[in-house]
Amino acid sequence: MTTDTTIQDTVHNTMDQQQQAKQIVSMLEEASDALDTRVLARLREARYRALAQAAQPALAVPDWQMLKQHAGQFLHLHQRAVMSAAMLGGSALLVFALTQQFAGQEITGQGDAFLLASELPPEAYLDRGFDTWLKRTAQQ
């Protein structure tokens, strides 16, 4: 039952839109009859140009073959600069990775050295009551 009502509403809306479109077209035709011949010629020319432009293929779709060809030409012409930039980038990445690797070991080593040099056993730091006892003694 609801589907029939929906279909009827859609058909009714479509008919209303078509009727409105016909009214708009007739109003435009009446108004264009009063226009000067020069204006009509300019409008006709603009319409032909718009149709010609719409008929041209869209450039939004990339041409992968042309893109690969241009990239290949660019790499061939600028081979030294591209290789130098790649080597510099790779070296920077290697230095960064090694620095991070060694920095992480120092921090871990410092933590271990702190625990070993401490007067308290490591289990004391794991005790939940130790923090409260430490705060209480620090306030006194």
Side-chain angles (χ1 to χ4, degrees):
M1 184 78 178
T2 345
T3 308
D4 293 336
T5 309
T6 307
I7 292 173
Q8 289 175 354
D9 289 341
T10 305
V11 170
H12 184 50
N13 288 338
T14 304
M15 291 176 63
D16 285 343
Q17 289 175 356
Q18 288 175 351
Q19 196 174 26
Q20 286 177 348
K22 288 179 183 178
Q23 288 176 351
I24 291 171
V25 167
S26 67
M27 292 171 108
L28 288 173
E29 284 178 355
E30 289 174 10
S32 68
D33 290 340
L35 290 176
D36 186 24
T37 55
R38 285 184 292 161
V39 173
L40 288 173
R42 288 178 54 206
L43 286 172
R44 189 178 312 109
E45 183 182 337
R47 180 175 181 268
Y48 288 139
R49 278 189 303 206
L51 289 173
Q53 187 175 5
Q56 291 179 353
L59 298 176
V61 178
D63 186 7
W64 295 110
Q65 290 297 100
M66 188 176 6
L67 183 65
K68 288 193 304 189
Q69 180 182 4
H70 286 299
Q73 288 175 354
F74 177 81
L75 290 175
H76 180 69
L77 292 175
H78 304 288
Q79 185 175 10
R80 289 184 181 163
V82 170
M83 290 303 292
S84 298
M87 289 177 64
L88 184 64
S91 300
L93 185 64
L94 180 66
V95 167
F96 177 74
L98 289 174
T99 306
Q100 292 298 315
Q101 181 68 24
F102 292 129
Q105 289 177 356
E106 289 176 9
I107 292 171
T108 306
Q110 289 174 357
D112 289 343
F114 173 74
L115 284 175
L116 291 173
S118 169
E119 295 178 6
L120 296 171
E123 292 83 20
Y125 293 102
L126 298 175
D127 185 14
R128 293 179 190 227
F130 176 70
D131 288 334
T132 56
W133 175 82
L134 191 60
K135 288 177 187 176
R136 204 175 26 205
T137 55
Q139 290 174 356
Q140 294 175 357

